[in-house]
Amino acid sequence: MLWTASVLAFVAIAQAAPKCTHKLKETIASPRDWEILGTAPQDHIIELRIALPQPNFHLLEQQLYEVSDPSHERYGEHLSQDEVNELVAPNPDSLAAVTEWLAEHGIPESQYTRSPANDSFKAKVPVGLAEKMLDTKYHVWKHTTDGDVVVRTTSYSLPEDLHPHIELVQPTTIFARFKGHRTTFHFSDEQNVDPSPARGTATIVDPTSGVKVDASCNTTVTITCLKELYNAVGVETSATNGNEIGITGYLEQFANIEDLQTFYADQRPDALNSSFETVSVNGGENNQTLSEAGAEANLDTQFAYGLTFPTPGTFWTTAGAPPFIPDSGTTTDTNEPYTKWLDFVLAQEKIPQTISTSYGDDEQTVPESFARRVCGGFAVLGARGVTLTFSSGDGGVGDGDPNPATQSCLTNDGRNVTKFIPGFPASCPFVTAVGGTIHVPEVAVDFSGGGFSNYFARPWYQEAAVTGFLEKLPKGLYKGLFNPNGRAIPDVSAQADNFRIFLSGRAVSIGGTSASSPTFAGFVSLLNDARLSAGQPPLGFINPLLYSVGVDGFNDITVGNNPGCGTPGFNATKGWDAVTGLGTPNFGKLKDIVLSV
């Protein structure tokens, strides 16, 4: 077959490569809920991602906070692609060392690629060669619950002299599955999809914000409901001021344009016949067969683009979906599609100013070294003026299972200790994590993911708000179950259930923090529209603003909790809380705030 000759050449060169002393680089306990099916085929191709240290990342982080802090004189002075690439570039010695190492194993420059900043390499190699390079053994692993299959190892080593020059190599120890955050999904009879009062027959006044909301919004959430609830009725945007919004799509979730038109006819007639730009990443498709429409993709695109029309929208469709069956005819393991997206978008000169992602996984399934590296990539986007929103998860304080009765809140470090399980990428301090609410008046929805990171320390912008919350907790409550010094989740919230979308031609009611993230991103995009139209730069990394002058632009949610791990979870309370964050947006107030900084 095609790879046979190359494999033999690779192995022969590798056997002749200089012998070096390997030193353990990373090891993990045998991952919970995974079983070994057998050894990985030696000729199976994997794409090694080799990350080099970024010695000046602290300078990038410093500049990110300067341009994102409304009290700083540099606020809004976002960096260019060249400027951020310079700040994350590796030491030339590291670049030379890794290049030499690859050459020693028969991998010339023509057979690998480097990132624009030269801080990472990607090389497709047979498993047999990867095992020699990393002094390890790859196996085929299967998840015992849903059947996902990956090629991984639980430890790997590098030549000792390379340790200062290589931060991490993947795929090795990552067993994350990166699922969509969606808790509820059911078809409704299109003739009777809305059991609430007919629109226009009753009104609810929200006591927190004082806004008037149609009573039908209590059971069926539409674009109009969100604009009423979040004080954005009558807001119009520009199609030509340079503002854009982006939605990420993964796991063969296809955004159907015919469904979008039906949605527009139902909720946004002025947007009829408009669409979005589809961008393929790593060969991703957007199959327009109506039966292949994805609930996640349709939810994200219909509400994000519906809220912001006529702002141009981008939908990235990134290839890679489990289950994956490794054999010599399948060239690459694509169970980490979101890193493919990050590589792709970091290489673009022009990026939408607001991007929403409704996918994630338990933080503990992602090796800390890998999580930190990915989080650093999000920091780069923030420094370039991009706001990233991520759904906070649908398991309350528990793992990604939205059913508290079946959650497993045990650590996967071999100790099997019960802990609250934060989600990633929501736990990255350089993104905006979005929790969920329900009904009018708003209360916390019980599945709203919230808690504290075990990897990332609490960032300075959260210090006052989160300390105040912790001080109000009963002494000793949940002691040992969470890290009180960790980055706190979520930052904000929005409605997260009973969203009316169209899927495969039918009206559907759907929910999850996968609904709240594109909703909040939509309102951020409206704020960016106002700033750009006023000649101001986009908001970029928004958290420092939200936790300072932005606090007054939120509706504080004080009712509800997020159970999980056999506990009631945290309570929504006055001020920031680990269920709804700062609360839900009041667009009118936020617009005044962001135009004045």
Side-chain angles (χ1 to χ4, degrees), residues 293-582:
E296 184 74 70
N298 275 12
L299 166 64
D300 292 352
T301 53
Q302 287 173 20
F303 270 85
Y305 303 149
L307 281 167
T308 58
F309 175 80
T311 297
T314 297
F315 176 68
W316 291 280
T317 173
T318 303
F324 167 78
I325 307 300
D327 58 39
S328 56
T330 305
T331 59
T332 56
D333 182 345
T334 53
N335 283 60
E336 304 169 52
Y338 70 106
T339 57
K340 298 281 189 183
W341 176 83
L342 187 55
D343 288 343
F344 176 86
V345 79
L346 285 172
Q348 306 306 305
E349 290 187 13
K350 188 171 181 289
I351 309 171
Q353 296 90 342
T354 312
I355 299 173
S356 174
T357 298
S358 294
Y359 299 77
D361 203 354
D362 300 344
E363 184 184 69
Q364 66 171 357
T365 66
V366 183
E368 183 173 350
S369 60
F370 186 73
R372 291 187 177 279
R373 186 65 178 218
V374 171
C375 188
F378 297 146
V380 171
L381 289 174
R384 290 182 60 184
V386 178
T387 302
L388 299 170
T389 69
F390 280 83
S391 50
S392 69
D394 295 339
V397 295
D399 62 17
D401 185 346
N403 183 356
T406 58
Q407 282 182 348
S408 174
C409 295
L410 300 177
T411 60
N412 64 350
D413 55 5
R415 297 182 301 146
N416 288 331
V417 177
T418 298
K419 294 274 189 181
F420 290 167
I421 308 295
F424 179 82
S427 65
C428 170
F430 304 126
V431 307
T432 301
V434 187
T437 61
I438 192 171
H439 300 320
V440 183
E442 288 186 280
V443 299
V445 71
D446 60 4
F447 54 73
S448 183
F452 299 81
S453 173
N454 293 310
Y455 289 172
F456 301 100
R458 181 161 61 246
W460 62 268
Y461 59 78
Q462 283 193 318
E463 189 62 35
V466 176
T467 299
F469 171 75
L470 293 172
E471 289 175 346
K472 288 183 285 189
L473 288 180
K475 188 174 182 180
L477 180 68
Y478 304 146
K479 184 176 181 181
L481 291 180
F482 71 96
N483 171 23
N485 300 311
R487 184 272 201 266
I489 309 163
D491 298 299
V492 295
S493 288
Q495 287 276 311
D497 210 355
N498 303 320
F499 276 54
R500 176 179 168 89
I501 69 165
F502 284 82
L503 179 66
S504 300
R506 296 182 60 187
V508 170
S509 180
I510 191 170
T513 53
S514 57
S516 56
S517 182
T519 294
F520 188 81
F523 285 96
V524 172
S525 183
L526 295 181
L527 295 173
N528 273 330
D529 178 83
R531 283 180 59 87
L532 290 171
S533 292
Q536 297 177 320
L539 291 166
F541 176 45
I542 199 172
N543 292 10
L545 179 143
L546 299 183
Y547 283 89
S548 54
V549 295
V551 169
D552 291 337
F554 284 86
N555 309 313
D556 194 6
I557 310 301
T558 59
V559 178
N561 61 300
N562 55 351
C565 304
T567 76
F570 296 109
N571 288 326
T573 186
K574 185 171 181 170
W576 183 92
D577 56 68
V579 192
T580 62
L582 296 170

Side-chain angles (χ1 to χ4, degrees), residues 227-289:
K227 287 197 168 185
E228 288 176 350
L229 182 58
Y230 298 142
N231 192 19
V233 174
V235 173
E236 296 183 358
T237 60
S238 169
T240 58
N241 65 359
N243 190 37
E244 297 183 21
I245 185 169
I247 295 293
T248 61
Y250 300 101
L251 308 180
E252 296 182 356
Q253 278 279 323
F254 305 134
N256 188 271
I257 295 173
E258 184 176 340
D259 278 337
L260 179 69
Q261 298 306 314
T262 306
F263 175 83
Y264 282 162
D266 183 64
Q267 298 189 31
R268 190 79 203 241
D270 59 328
L272 272 169
N273 299 318
S274 70
S275 189
F276 51 86
E277 180 184 6
T278 298
V279 176
S280 172
V281 179
N282 194 41
E285 299 179 353
N286 195 31
N287 188 331
Q288 289 302 295
T289 303

Side-chain angles (χ1 to χ4, degrees), residues 19-99:
K19 302 295 181 183
C20 344
T21 302
H22 278 72
K23 179 182 176 182
L24 183 67
K25 182 67 174 179
E26 185 171 40
T27 185
I28 63 170
S30 183
R32 187 169 46 79
D33 299 328
W34 290 87
E35 61 182 5
I36 293 177
L37 296 182
T39 57
Q42 292 290 287
D43 56 353
H44 168 67
I45 302 300
I46 58 176
E47 184 175 67
L48 289 182
R49 307 165 59 85
I50 304 160
L52 282 59
Q54 300 165 323
N56 292 320
F57 183 81
H58 65 288
L59 297 178
L60 172 84
E61 185 176 9
Q62 175 187 332
Q63 295 198 41
L64 167 66
Y65 281 130
E66 289 176 355
V67 301
S68 307
D69 181 357
S71 68
H72 198 280
E73 62 183 4
R74 289 191 61 200
Y75 179 68
E77 297 178 6
H78 302 116
L79 308 184
S80 68
Q81 183 182 26
D82 288 342
E83 288 171 330
V84 295
N85 285 346
E86 185 176 345
L87 287 169
V88 298
N91 187 297
D93 291 343
S94 297
L95 193 60
V98 173
T99 300

